[in-house]
Amino acid sequence: MAIKKLLFASLLICSMIQSSHGATKERLFTDLEKGSLEITATPSRTGEGVVLAAGIDKLSITWKVSSTATKEPEFKTIKVKLCYAPVSQVDRPWRKTHNELFKDKSCPHKISSFSYDPTVKTAQSFDYTLERDIPTGTYYVRAYAVDAIDHEVAFGQSTNEAKTTNLFSVQAISGRHKSLDIASVCFSVFSVVALVVFFVNEKRKAKIEQSR
């Protein structure tokens, strides 16, 4: 009897988990209110051909709720993310855009998350230093408005709908240091010299043996 109750409880819990996941999977990007958040991202260095350095350069991010937002009463949290532009998604399925939000991989880099205060009506700004682990690529910034049950209900982004304007490029940290490169070169030179000396000594020994 106890085993049957345990099995029933397990099945009930699994069913609840699946239902919860099912609800999450039904969340679609196209269902979100578009343009509810007005957001801009200004790099610390601008100009044609400028590439920002991960771990060094910054973004000045400004956002506010649009006057046309109809879902503002549902806003509880604002989540700001760094997203890949289409040019940096080509041949990279791990960065692919999906309409189903739980599958979407286009905005994996968290910038900030904070509670929404409906009494603040003016634009708010903050600076964000590009994380050291940001991959090389072209990016834009997107902000999601999230409700009390952590569901996205609206969004805004720093680029147009086609994701072709106001983009910026980032160069990742290579992971190598100049001192390591110098040490590597010195070791290579030492290895070559040691090899030459070895062969010269071996040749000289061979000649001495022959002369005897």
Side-chain angles (χ1 to χ4, degrees):
M1 193 63 155
I3 295 176
K4 287 184 179 180
K5 287 183 179 180
L6 183 61
L7 288 173
F8 177 76
S10 299
L11 289 172
L12 183 62
I13 292 171
C14 289
S15 177
M16 291 174 64
I17 291 174
Q18 288 178 351
S19 297
S20 174
H21 284 178
T24 302
K25 290 180 180 180
E26 290 172 3
R27 305 293 298 175
L28 302 178
F29 181 76
T30 49
D31 289 340
L32 306 185
E33 186 173 57
K34 180 173 61 176
S36 292
L37 300 174
E38 298 176 4
I39 184 166
T40 61
T42 305
S44 54
R45 293 187 296 121
T46 59
E48 187 176 353
V50 170
V51 178
L52 305 179
I56 299 175
D57 287 314
K58 299 180 179 181
L59 298 176
S60 178
I61 298 172
T62 301
W63 71 276
K64 68 176 183 176
V65 176
S66 171
S67 58
T68 61
T70 62
K71 294 188 176 182
E72 183 183 0
E74 300 178 44
F75 296 179
K76 296 299 179 184
T77 305
I78 303 298
K79 296 182 178 182
V80 185
K81 297 186 175 184
L82 190 64
C83 308
Y84 293 110
V87 68
S88 288
Q89 293 176 292
V90 177
D91 297 327
R92 294 177 174 90
W94 58 91
R95 299 180 180 178
K96 189 175 181 179
T97 299
H98 286 276
N99 191 35
E100 294 175 276
L101 290 172
F102 85 102
K103 288 183 179 180
D104 184 59
K105 301 172 183 176
S106 61
C107 302
H109 307 291
K110 178 181 175 181
I111 291 178
S112 186
S113 178
F114 39 84
S115 298
Y116 174 64
D117 184 352
T119 63
V120 179
K121 300 299 182 181
T122 57
Q124 300 180 58
S125 300
F126 65 93
D127 289 337
Y128 163 71
T129 300
L130 293 163
E131 299 289 342
R132 293 174 59 86
D133 60 350
I134 297 297
T136 295
T138 302
Y139 297 87
Y140 64 94
V141 173
R142 177 181 289 164
Y144 288 103
V146 179
D147 64 15
I149 56 175
D150 204 33
H151 282 170
E152 297 89 346
V153 295
F155 79 98
Q157 57 192 33
S158 62
T159 184
N160 60 358
E161 189 171 353
K163 305 168 191 171
T164 57
T165 61
N166 302 321
L167 306 176
F168 51 90
S169 297
V170 177
Q171 176 63 51
I173 294 176
S174 66
R176 294 177 63 89
H177 195 277
K178 286 184 178 179
S179 60
L180 291 177
D181 292 333
I182 293 171
S184 178
V185 171
C186 291
F187 181 76
S188 297
V189 172
F190 174 79
S191 299
V192 172
V193 171
L195 190 62
V196 170
V197 171
F198 173 78
F199 279 114
V200 168
N201 285 337
E202 287 298 312
K203 193 172 182 180
R204 198 173 81 179
K205 287 180 182 178
K207 286 182 176 180
I208 292 173
E209 291 293 330
Q210 289 177 359
S211 64
R212 289 180 180 176

